[in-house]
Amino acid sequence: MKKIAIIGFLWIVIFSCSTKTVAPETGSIDIKVTIGPLCPVEPCNITAAEYKSIYESYSFVISNPTSKAVIIEQKITHNGTNGLMKSTNIAVGEYELNIKPENFFTKRGFPKTIKIEKDKTTSLEIDIDTGIR
């Protein structure tokens, strides 16, 4: 009878340990983007819709630096003044941040190494040079 009780107890312990789920540690990223210059001379007569279109033509790609597997690819949104990209629930770790579309001017500052920390927001301010002169 003792053997059956011990085996039953061990079975319960093993089963309860195997079904336990562990939530991954996560953090967030918050990127503020400025794109310019947008005109070769001042005054720059670009409409609000054109500003929005310019900013939203870019996206950020967050990938694993070793495998290059894409973790997140997200378009920049325009808030009327700047571009923004916010993402939450990113697994803690070190990543590579790149921008699309790539061109001569954007390749100068990318890829960037970023670190996501547990329960923290990684904040970045990025200036994108369009090369318009």
Side-chain angles (χ1 to χ4, degrees):
M1 188 67 157
K2 277 188 173 181
K3 285 184 179 181
I4 294 175
I6 291 172
I7 292 172
F9 175 74
L10 290 175
W11 182 255
I12 291 170
V13 170
I14 291 170
F15 182 72
S16 66
C17 290
S18 67
T19 59
K20 189 175 185 181
T21 57
V22 178
E25 296 179 340
T26 62
S28 303
I29 190 162
D30 187 354
I31 303 174
K32 177 182 169 188
V33 183
T34 304
I35 301 174
L38 297 176
C39 297
V41 294
E42 293 294 328
C44 189
N45 297 320
I46 294 179
T47 66
E50 289 171 318
Y51 271 111
K52 180 178 169 111
S53 175
I54 290 167
Y55 274 87
E56 292 180 357
S57 69
Y58 288 91
S59 61
F60 283 110
V61 178
I62 298 174
S63 59
N64 180 301
T66 308
S67 69
K68 304 298 182 196
V70 174
I71 308 301
I72 297 170
E73 183 170 347
Q74 185 173 327
K75 286 210 169 276
I76 296 172
T77 58
H78 188 250
N79 69 357
T81 307
N82 297 303
L84 302 171
M85 185 208 131
K86 296 181 182 208
S87 189
T88 58
N89 298 321
I90 303 170
V92 169
E94 200 167 278
Y95 296 96
E96 201 171 74
L97 176 70
N98 218 331
I99 192 162
K100 281 187 176 180
E102 291 180 335
N103 61 41
F104 174 77
F105 296 101
T106 59
K107 284 190 98 82
R108 285 192 280 174
F110 292 94
K112 293 183 182 296
T113 300
I114 59 170
K115 187 174 183 179
I116 303 297
E117 297 181 65
K118 181 182 178 187
D119 300 328
K120 292 186 179 179
T121 299
T122 301
S123 296
L124 300 171
E125 289 191 23
I126 295 178
D127 293 320
I128 299 173
D129 184 350
T130 61
I132 298 173
R133 305 281 187 259

